[in-house]
Amino acid sequence: MSLPNLHGFTVSELSSDHVLLLKAAARRARLNALTMISAANSGHPGGAFSSMELFLAVYGVADLTPQNCDDFDRDYVVVSHGHTSAGVYAALAEWGFFDPAEATAHFRRCGSPYQGHVERDVKGVDWGTGNLGQGLSAGVGFALAQRARGHEGRVFVLMGDGGQVKGQLAEARRMAVKEKLTGLIALIDWNNIQISGTLDEVMPANLKALWEADGWEVVDCDGHCFRGLYAALKAAGTKGKPTVLFCRTVMGHEGGVMEGTCEYHGKALQGEAYEQVVRSLGGDPDLLKAALERRKGELPVGRHVKLLTPSLNLGTPFDYEGSKSDNRGAFGKALADVGRLNHSQPGRTPLLVFDCDLAPSVMTGEFKKACPEGFIQCGIQEHSTATASGAAAAGGVVSLWAGFGVFGLDEVYNQQRLNDINLAGNKTVLTHVGLDVGEDGKTHQCIDYVGLIRNTFGWKLVVPADPNQTDRATRWMLETPGCICLAMGRSKVPVLTLSSGGSAFGGGYRFEYGKATKLRPGKDGTIFALGSMAQKALDAEAILARQGLDVAVWSVSCPLVVDKEALNEACASGVILTVEDHNVNSGMGSILALELARRSKAVKLRLMGVKQYGESGAASEVYAAMGLDPQGIANAFTGLVDA
Amino acid sequence: MSLPNLHGFTVSELSSDHVLLLKAAARRARLNALTMISAANSGHPGGAFSSMELFLAVYGVADLTPQNCDDFDRDYVVVSHGHTSAGVYAALAEWGFFDPAEATAHFRRCGSPYQGHVERDVKGVDWGTGNLGQGLSAGVGFALAQRARGHEGRVFVLMGDGGQVKGQLAEARRMAVKEKLTGLIALIDWNNIQISGTLDEVMPANLKALWEADGWEVVDCDGHCFRGLYAALKAAGTKGKPTVLFCRTVMGHEGGVMEGTCEYHGKALQGEAYEQVVRSLGGDPDLLKAALERRKGELPVGRHVKLLTPSLNLGTPFDYEGSKSDNRGAFGKALADVGRLNHSQPGRTPLLVFDCDLAPSVMTGEFKKACPEGFIQCGIQEHSTATASGAAAAGGVVSLWAGFGVFGLDEVYNQQRLNDINLAGNKTVLTHVGLDVGEDGKTHQCIDYVGLIRNTFGWKLVVPADPNQTDRATRWMLETPGCICLAMGRSKVPVLTLSSGGSAFGGGYRFEYGKATKLRPGKDGTIFALGSMAQKALDAEAILARQGLDVAVWSVSCPLVVDKEALNEACASGVILTVEDHNVNSGMGSILALELARRSKAVKLRLMGVKQYGESGAASEVYAAMGLDPQGIANAFTGLVDA
């Protein structure tokens, strides 16, 4: 009894036969969802039952199949209320994505792809969720990627109602309307029950008015009626706006004791309670026994999430010489150069650049001029931008967001963490990091970016030292798969030179992730300097040389990775000073210290960095106040040698 | 020519004389704002001029004076668009908060309280801002504190228009309406210019409709007309709703070349351009010379921000014995106990507990029952809750928010950072930290809380090891000034015992911040275990004892602080193993390693922790999969000894 082919709305309306088949599928899926939760003795049956018709309808009409789900050019489905995972898996199984008995047996088992909240390890799941209110932003990202790739498709976003008040969701609504994403269809499982009561009891909100005010087409429908759902989904987008369906549902629908209560929001049914619901659904309580038996067996293997490998012409790096330039400017020029070279070129991966009203400061204006369709202005809506830029990358474009450090990372740390978990592969460029933010003061000083990103397992972090390295790291980043963050300050910095007098990062230098660069050799000790602190370290080295000390200076641009070769050499010198305009407790120095401690290596070590929130003032004064000027560094070094 | 006393709306309407005096003040204040920006050669004149009448009107009518600004029971003023600081300082000076020439001379000078974005170092500034969209949440927090303290006052929140689309602001709107904060008055500087263009060009939003949909009284007025502003402010709140004034303004108003353009959003005027504006305002260009001269002199001293020292009856700690309890439960019981003992008691500091629809899981339900007015249900709106709970603490109540780790910290890291910068002194309780989140999986595993909080300079972090310590740490936290985070897992854990067999943290044990507890002595090496990993370490110790190894076990509950005494003893043992269910790169072990490296102390060291995003499964399986079970710990220890 297979389901009708509805992908891409193959029929004008559902026939009675269609409805019968879908209803039978819903019954089976409820049985499976219920059983998998009981087998795991953990999960969220109430919401899974409430959303079941939405899941089946959407996976039915979406151009998303077991065959095309690993491609980029197709429809996307985001389930924002990821705790209803049992329902999602059961529905996907009905549409042939995998064997229903496999999901039923291995739900929430350690090592299984059928995890507690939906993850991309499962075919048909396009975005791992569970932290509420983020799904619509992901939907916006996928829709932007579709458009950039020239694919006319749809993106479906399913949501619970409790999370409707999350601010990020409102940001996403506005992005969708501004970008005219008419293929974006949102569905709200509107059962009016959340953990602490009804929506009005927990947090009153005039939801329809809010969606309307933000410019969406708002449609009301019965969330348990397949015919109505099909019609509403088919009509969506025809009025030139993105559409939201307020789907009236009942919590725990068709779940007997679970109906209309939040008691089974996050609780499994066992024993007689389980069997009663199974029987009322016309099922066989032995389903659970079979699942528990199979659960003892081998773990299923999840799908391998495909990372985008961009196809880009990276052009020729620019060389900066002599006079000072800022790293921001070098980033902006390299980005625009790559943009120009690849814009609308056949076979090249599209490039999207996101902005939150800071283009003149983060230097993405030149790219905007060169590639206007590739530039997405998001307004001051960082949370939604972070998630959308992540999903766009997962949707098959090179996706880059540039913002100030405190906005592109501190404000959206969790969104960037979830991008990492989702293997999104987005790029984030942070300007105004460290103390180098001009007079903006402590609220704007991003002195924690190393300390934040080191908490993730996937993100790479690059802090280029000068404009030449910035140019090369920018081009490298654009074509390298995975989540990558490029961080830089605001000021102009000199082009760095080697002992030979030649440029350290110009000409044929090629950026290599994880490699430190020796700017000066020396045997009396070693200074490791993060990013643009390198020039200050070189100036300190000159002071120390006048005192007869022969000090090595290494430029570190990848603080998350300890360059073993550099560290070995430094250890031989016996004295190590680390210099960074970052919180001294959590930055590059502390990562290096950890490696030293692990090696049980006793060397004279001192970490220089930021020890309190910084002041508001001219950069040079702010650095000097923290002792992070050349003389301060030189003094710290001699103090360490004498210690 | 002093300004009229308008505090608390002393007149029914402004007279012509009032208006003349206020207009003269506005002229002077514009001159000072312009001059301070030119003296610093940095700042935001456009917005300062646009908002000037709003600043003067609000500081005029608010019950906020140089005399009462350090008290709790008064009106509050939050300037959310903190980059307009020059305007704020100039307006405050007109109302007598300090000498205008002082602010004019020392604006944005390193070490001066007159910082780039408004900070609480300046009298009259109630909340440090600059990261946009957060001010209304702070206003909600202050209004909640006023109500809890029984003070009928007003809270004014001034905002720019570009930040109106930040999602957090919508969350704050709903909190204000739900809590019926009719004394809350918002003012929008509606000049329709932001960095990248007009509001419609950057991010279209039907702002008035959104405020109305969220239940606010929306009033339109001329933002440069004192009489209209006074009338609108006086009428605010009379309709039983919080009120927002859409104040029509002109960017750079009365600033000559600055009018109606965003060119001077963030740019100082110099030379002839400066002088022209000064002359058009009837001022003397020598103002700048005087400011620059004074700028060379001594730095002014900022105010000392008063931290709340709560007055609470902390009651008697509960003793847990034998059978397992969960730390969440112990926290909830202690909180409810202190709530009951102090609720409505004269002389006691009010206690507010915030929830984001998780009370049954974070165990604040018992407090809610005991002290219903002290319980604030915020719905799934974490960003606004984080800021509001911070501002409530700054407003003179003991303010506590309990949530899952990923919501109370990861999702709102920046809000908690800004709470720290503001010396807010709020308390945050994180449950479901570490791998101990049940089957929720990686999106819900908060394995970075140590790594996040260590980036701040003020937050204290406590990770109690068992229910006894949780009870005592909870009571300690509630009466200790400053920002404090208490973090715990989900599972039941045994009550910890000492070698003597007695309870480690029961009876007369007193929690002391920064102190580790030796659960077992030992000479063959030392295990440091974070929080509830202590019992697993003890079980490992028993395994090792059977192998003839005499291993010390320390319980660490304050991972940000290295207990020197404990570390000395451990160093003497020569072998150190750290155990935590936290990212191994950024947690307790890495902090300890940093201290070891700084001491140049060579010991055998190994860090055990989380090395990749965790799986979804039963806690015991998830721990075992990571090697973080007793056998795994014992194996790691023997491996280290043999290394």
Side-chain angles (χ1 to χ4, degrees):
Chain A
M1 195 168 61
S2 77
L3 282 168
N5 179 12
L6 304 171
H7 300 303
F9 300 98
T10 39
V11 296
S12 62
E13 59 178 346
L14 292 189
S15 69
S16 304
D17 282 353
H18 288 143
V19 171
L20 280 177
L21 288 169
L22 284 163
K23 282 190 166 181
R27 253 195 315 276
R28 285 192 303 270
R30 282 198 168 88
L31 279 168
N32 287 328
L34 183 78
T35 304
M36 69 178 84
I37 291 168
S38 298
N41 196 24
S42 162
H44 297 80
F49 274 45
S50 181
S51 289
M52 191 55 83
E53 280 77 17
L54 309 188
F55 293 142
L56 283 166
V58 165
Y59 285 118
V61 299
D63 175 26
L64 169 68
T65 64
Q67 291 69 45
N68 74 5
C69 67
D70 288 323
D71 302 336
F72 290 124
D73 295 324
R74 54 169 175 86
D75 289 352
Y76 287 80
V77 178
V78 176
V79 178
S80 189
H81 52 327
H83 61 276
T84 59
S85 50
V88 175
Y89 303 149
L92 282 168
E94 289 299 322
W95 285 107
F97 282 79
F98 39 79
D99 172 10
E102 178 181 280
T104 305
H106 299 293
F107 180 59
R108 290 188 162 211
R109 183 179 163 202
C110 189
S112 158
Y114 302 103
Q115 306 201 7
H117 291 79
V118 294
E119 299 281 348
R120 294 178 72 198
D121 306 320
V122 170
K123 278 191 178 189
V125 174
D126 283 324
W127 196 249
T129 60
N131 291 206
L132 295 172
Q134 320 222 350
L136 193 66
S137 305
V140 167
F142 286 122
L144 289 170
Q146 282 178 333
R147 187 176 69 190
R149 293 178 62 90
H151 178 76
E152 283 201 24
R154 291 185 181 84
V155 177
F156 301 87
V157 179
L158 298 97
M159 296 174 275
D161 52 6
Q164 288 294 311
V165 292
K166 276 281 287 183
Q168 179 175 341
L169 197 153
E171 297 178 358
R173 279 199 298 255
R174 289 185 280 270
M175 286 173 71
V177 169
K178 170 166 186 281
E179 295 297 329
K180 302 187 177 61
L181 304 177
T182 50
L184 185 59
I185 306 170
L187 299 94
I188 302 172
D189 177 355
W190 199 25
N191 58 36
N192 196 27
I193 290 184
Q194 56 187 118
I195 292 174
S196 305
T198 65
L199 270 61
D200 264 356
E201 286 163 356
V202 177
M203 182 50 63
N206 197 348
L207 294 181
K208 285 185 180 171
L210 290 170
W211 284 86
E212 273 163 10
D214 278 328
W216 282 61
E217 178 70 19
V218 175
V219 175
D220 195 282
C221 67
D222 178 345
H224 298 306
C225 165
F226 282 113
R227 195 167 274 151
L229 279 172
Y230 184 87
L233 288 167
K234 193 163 190 294
T238 52
K239 301 214 175 147
K241 299 180 194 178
T243 304
V244 58
L245 312 187
F246 275 71
C247 304
R248 280 173 278 108
T249 57
V250 174
M251 184 72 150
H253 184 60
E254 298 198 346
V257 291
M258 302 196 303
E259 280 205 355
T261 168
C262 78
E263 202 187 326
Y264 296 92
H265 163 78
K267 196 168 112 182
L269 277 80
Q270 297 295 2
E272 184 52 31
Y274 165 79
E275 290 179 14
Q276 257 181 14
V277 177
V278 169
R279 275 192 294 263
S280 78
L281 287 164
D284 176 356
D286 279 352
L287 256 176
L288 181 55
K289 273 182 214 145
L292 287 169
E293 192 52 40
R294 184 162 176 175
R295 196 174 176 87
K296 296 174 195 159
E298 212 174 325
L299 277 166
V301 177
R303 79 148 148 195
H304 180 74
V305 175
K306 182 178 155 188
L307 276 186
L308 173 72
T309 305
S311 162
L312 289 174
N313 173 357
L314 292 182
T316 309
F318 299 141
D319 270 340
Y320 296 83
E321 279 175 42
S323 67
K324 288 181 171 188
S325 305
D326 52 10
N327 289 340
R328 291 182 291 159
F331 151 69
K333 278 190 197 309
L335 176 70
D337 189 41
V338 176
R340 249 180 243 112
L341 287 168
N342 295 277
H343 187 51
S344 304
Q345 294 299 306
R348 297 305 183 186
T349 311
L351 182 49
L352 286 185
V353 172
F354 293 80
D355 179 42
C356 289
D357 197 21
L358 284 175
S361 296
V362 301
M363 305 289 187
T364 48
E366 195 177 328
F367 174 87
K368 181 186 175 185
K369 266 188 210 151
C371 320
E373 317 88 86
F375 184 85
I376 311 290
Q377 177 56 262
C378 305
I380 305 174
Q381 304 190 129
E382 291 94 358
H383 292 101
S384 188
T385 304
T387 303
S389 67
V397 303
V398 176
S399 171
L400 181 148
W401 172 31
F404 287 3
V406 290
F407 305 133
L409 185 57
D410 292 46
E411 178 77 359
V412 298
Y413 168 75
N414 198 40
Q415 284 67 23
Q416 299 285 29
R417 178 183 77 97
L418 295 169
N419 282 338
D420 190 38
I421 285 177
N422 272 296
L423 300 175
N426 53 310
K427 320 300 175 199
T428 300
V429 175
L430 306 178
T431 69
H432 295 62
V433 305
L435 296 173
D436 189 13
V437 303
E439 287 81 353
D440 281 344
K442 58 189 77 164
T443 56
H444 283 56
Q445 288 166 358
C446 181
I447 50 174
D448 46 15
Y449 58 104
V450 179
L452 294 181
I453 295 190
R454 71 188 284 194
N455 288 294
T456 68
F457 294 105
W459 276 90
K460 289 185 169 72
L461 171 63
V462 181
V463 193
D466 78 353
N468 282 325
Q469 195 178 31
T470 304
D471 177 292
R472 282 142 184 91
T474 299
R475 294 174 202 263
W476 165 84
M477 168 181 68
L478 291 172
E479 78 158 359
T480 303
C483 290
I484 304 176
C485 176
L486 195 64
M488 59 197 71
R490 174 178 180 270
S491 299
K492 296 193 172 179
V493 289
V495 167
L496 291 171
T497 56
L498 300 169
S499 306
S500 63
S503 138
F505 301 113
Y509 164 81
R510 237 182 104 86
F511 178 79
E512 191 180 326
Y513 187 71
K515 212 169 143 30
T517 301
K518 182 157 58 175
L519 298 175
R520 298 289 182 275
K523 59 178 176 22
D524 294 335
T526 304
I527 300 177
F528 287 106
L530 179 64
S532 62
M533 295 301 288
Q535 184 59 50
K536 291 189 172 69
L538 286 179
D539 294 345
E541 184 264 351
I543 296 172
L544 292 164
R546 289 196 288 276
Q547 298 172 25
L549 285 165
D550 180 23
V551 181
V553 175
W554 287 80
S555 162
V556 176
S557 57
C558 305
L560 302 187
V561 184
V562 175
D563 181 330
K564 300 288 161 65
E565 204 180 312
L567 188 63
N568 290 341
E569 210 176 307
C571 284
S573 78
V575 177
I576 298 178
L577 179 70
T578 67
V579 180
E580 58 195 316
D581 59 337
H582 185 284
N583 187 322
V584 71
N585 300 318
S586 59
M588 178 261 292
S590 73
I591 291 171
L592 202 134
L594 174 56
E595 176 65 20
L596 285 171
R598 277 180 165 146
R599 290 179 177 200
S600 302
K601 200 79 196 177
V603 297
K604 285 186 176 180
L605 172 71
R606 179 160 167 190
L607 276 53
M608 292 189 80
V610 179
K611 293 177 180 168
Q612 60 186 64
Y613 296 115
E615 299 290 339
S616 160
S620 59
E621 290 172 21
V622 173
Y623 279 93
M626 294 270 184
L628 290 168
D629 55 347
Q631 189 61 55
I633 296 169
N635 293 348
F637 189 88
T638 51
L640 181 60
V641 169
D642 297 341
Chain B
M1 195 168 60
S2 77
L3 281 169
N5 178 11
L6 303 172
H7 300 304
F9 299 98
T10 40
V11 296
S12 60
E13 60 178 344
L14 292 188
S15 68
S16 304
D17 282 354
H18 288 142
V19 172
L20 280 177
L21 289 168
L22 284 164
K23 282 191 165 180
R27 254 195 314 276
R28 285 192 304 270
R30 282 198 168 86
L31 279 167
N32 287 329
L34 183 78
T35 303
M36 71 177 84
I37 292 167
S38 298
N41 197 24
S42 163
H44 297 80
F49 274 46
S50 181
S51 288
M52 191 55 82
E53 280 77 17
L54 310 188
F55 293 143
L56 283 165
V58 165
Y59 285 118
V61 300
D63 175 26
L64 170 67
T65 65
Q67 289 71 44
N68 74 5
C69 67
D70 287 324
D71 303 337
F72 289 123
D73 295 324
R74 54 168 176 87
D75 288 353
Y76 288 79
V77 177
V78 176
V79 178
S80 189
H81 52 326
H83 61 276
T84 59
S85 50
V88 175
Y89 303 149
L92 281 168
E94 289 299 322
W95 286 106
F97 282 77
F98 39 77
D99 171 10
E102 178 180 282
T104 305
H106 299 293
F107 181 60
R108 291 188 160 210
R109 183 179 163 202
C110 188
S112 159
Y114 303 103
Q115 304 200 8
H117 291 79
V118 294
E119 297 281 346
R120 293 178 73 199
D121 306 320
V122 171
K123 279 189 178 190
V125 174
D126 284 325
W127 197 250
T129 60
N131 291 205
L132 294 174
Q134 320 223 351
L136 194 65
S137 305
V140 167
F142 285 122
L144 289 170
Q146 283 179 333
R147 188 176 70 190
R149 293 179 61 90
H151 178 77
E152 284 201 24
R154 290 186 182 84
V155 177
F156 301 87
V157 178
L158 297 98
M159 296 174 274
D161 51 6
Q164 289 295 309
V165 292
K166 276 281 287 184
Q168 179 175 340
L169 197 152
E171 298 179 356
R173 278 199 298 255
R174 289 186 281 270
M175 286 174 71
V177 169
K178 170 165 185 281
E179 294 297 329
K180 303 187 176 58
L181 304 177
T182 50
L184 186 58
I185 306 169
L187 298 95
I188 302 171
D189 177 356
W190 199 24
N191 59 36
N192 196 27
I193 290 184
Q194 56 187 118
I195 293 175
S196 305
T198 66
L199 269 61
D200 265 355
E201 286 163 355
V202 178
M203 181 50 62
N206 197 346
L207 294 181
K208 285 185 179 170
L210 290 170
W211 283 86
E212 273 163 10
D214 278 328
W216 282 61
E217 179 70 19
V218 175
V219 175
D220 196 283
C221 67
D222 177 344
H224 297 306
C225 165
F226 281 114
R227 193 167 275 150
L229 279 171
Y230 184 87
L233 288 168
K234 194 164 190 294
T238 52
K239 300 213 177 148
K241 298 180 193 176
T243 304
V244 57
L245 312 186
F246 274 72
C247 305
R248 281 173 277 107
T249 57
V250 173
M251 183 72 150
H253 183 60
E254 298 199 344
V257 291
M258 302 195 302
E259 279 203 356
T261 168
C262 78
E263 201 187 328
Y264 296 92
H265 164 78
K267 195 167 113 183
L269 277 80
Q270 298 294 3
E272 183 52 30
Y274 166 78
E275 291 179 14
Q276 255 181 16
V277 178
V278 169
R279 275 191 294 265
S280 77
L281 287 163
D284 176 357
D286 280 353
L287 255 177
L288 181 56
K289 271 182 214 146
L292 288 169
E293 192 54 39
R294 184 163 176 174
R295 196 174 177 87
K296 295 175 196 159
E298 210 173 326
L299 277 166
V301 177
R303 78 147 148 194
H304 179 73
V305 174
K306 182 177 155 188
L307 275 188
L308 173 71
T309 305
S311 162
L312 289 175
N313 174 357
L314 293 182
T316 308
F318 299 139
D319 270 341
Y320 295 83
E321 279 174 43
S323 67
K324 288 182 172 187
S325 305
D326 52 8
N327 290 339
R328 290 182 293 158
F331 151 69
K333 277 190 197 311
L335 176 70
D337 189 42
V338 175
R340 251 182 241 110
L341 288 168
N342 295 276
H343 187 51
S344 304
Q345 294 298 307
R348 297 304 184 188
T349 311
L351 182 49
L352 286 184
V353 172
F354 293 80
D355 180 42
C356 288
D357 198 22
L358 284 175
S361 296
V362 301
M363 304 290 186
T364 48
E366 196 178 328
F367 174 88
K368 181 186 175 185
K369 267 187 209 151
C371 320
E373 317 89 85
F375 183 85
I376 311 291
Q377 177 56 263
C378 305
I380 304 173
Q381 305 190 127
E382 291 94 359
H383 291 101
S384 189
T385 304
T387 302
S389 67
V397 303
V398 176
S399 170
L400 181 148
W401 172 32
F404 288 2
V406 291
F407 305 134
L409 186 57
D410 292 46
E411 177 77 358
V412 297
Y413 168 77
N414 198 40
Q415 284 67 24
Q416 299 286 29
R417 179 183 76 98
L418 295 169
N419 282 338
D420 191 38
I421 285 177
N422 272 298
L423 301 174
N426 53 309
K427 320 300 175 200
T428 299
V429 175
L430 306 178
T431 70
H432 295 62
V433 304
L435 296 174
D436 188 13
V437 304
E439 287 81 353
D440 281 344
K442 58 189 76 164
T443 57
H444 283 56
Q445 288 167 359
C446 180
I447 51 173
D448 46 15
Y449 58 104
V450 178
L452 294 181
I453 295 193
R454 71 189 283 196
N455 289 294
T456 68
F457 293 105
W459 276 92
K460 289 186 170 71
L461 171 63
V462 181
V463 193
D466 79 353
N468 281 325
Q469 195 178 32
T470 303
D471 178 292
R472 282 140 184 92
T474 299
R475 294 175 202 262
W476 164 83
M477 168 182 68
L478 291 173
E479 79 157 359
T480 303
C483 290
I484 304 176
C485 176
L486 195 64
M488 60 197 72
R490 174 177 180 271
S491 299
K492 296 193 172 178
V493 289
V495 167
L496 292 172
T497 56
L498 300 169
S499 307
S500 62
S503 137
F505 301 113
Y509 164 81
R510 239 182 102 86
F511 178 79
E512 191 181 326
Y513 187 72
K515 212 169 143 30
T517 302
K518 182 158 57 176
L519 298 175
R520 298 289 182 276
K523 59 178 176 21
D524 295 335
T526 304
I527 301 177
F528 286 106
L530 179 64
S532 61
M533 295 301 288
Q535 184 59 50
K536 292 190 170 69
L538 286 178
D539 294 344
E541 185 265 351
I543 297 172
L544 292 164
R546 290 196 288 276
Q547 298 173 24
L549 285 165
D550 180 23
V551 181
V553 176
W554 288 79
S555 162
V556 176
S557 58
C558 304
L560 302 187
V561 183
V562 175
D563 182 330
K564 300 288 160 66
E565 204 180 313
L567 188 62
N568 290 341
E569 211 176 306
C571 284
S573 79
V575 177
I576 297 178
L577 179 69
T578 67
V579 180
E580 58 195 317
D581 60 337
H582 185 285
N583 185 323
V584 71
N585 300 319
S586 60
M588 178 261 291
S590 73
I591 291 172
L592 202 134
L594 174 56
E595 176 64 21
L596 285 171
R598 277 179 165 145
R599 289 179 177 199
S600 302
K601 200 79 195 176
V603 298
K604 285 186 176 180
L605 172 72
R606 179 160 167 191
L607 276 54
M608 293 190 80
V610 180
K611 293 177 181 168
Q612 60 186 64
Y613 296 114
E615 298 291 339
S616 161
S620 58
E621 289 172 23
V622 174
Y623 279 93
M626 293 271 185
L628 290 169
D629 55 347
Q631 190 61 55
I633 297 169
N635 293 348
F637 188 88
T638 51
L640 181 59
V641 168
D642 297 341

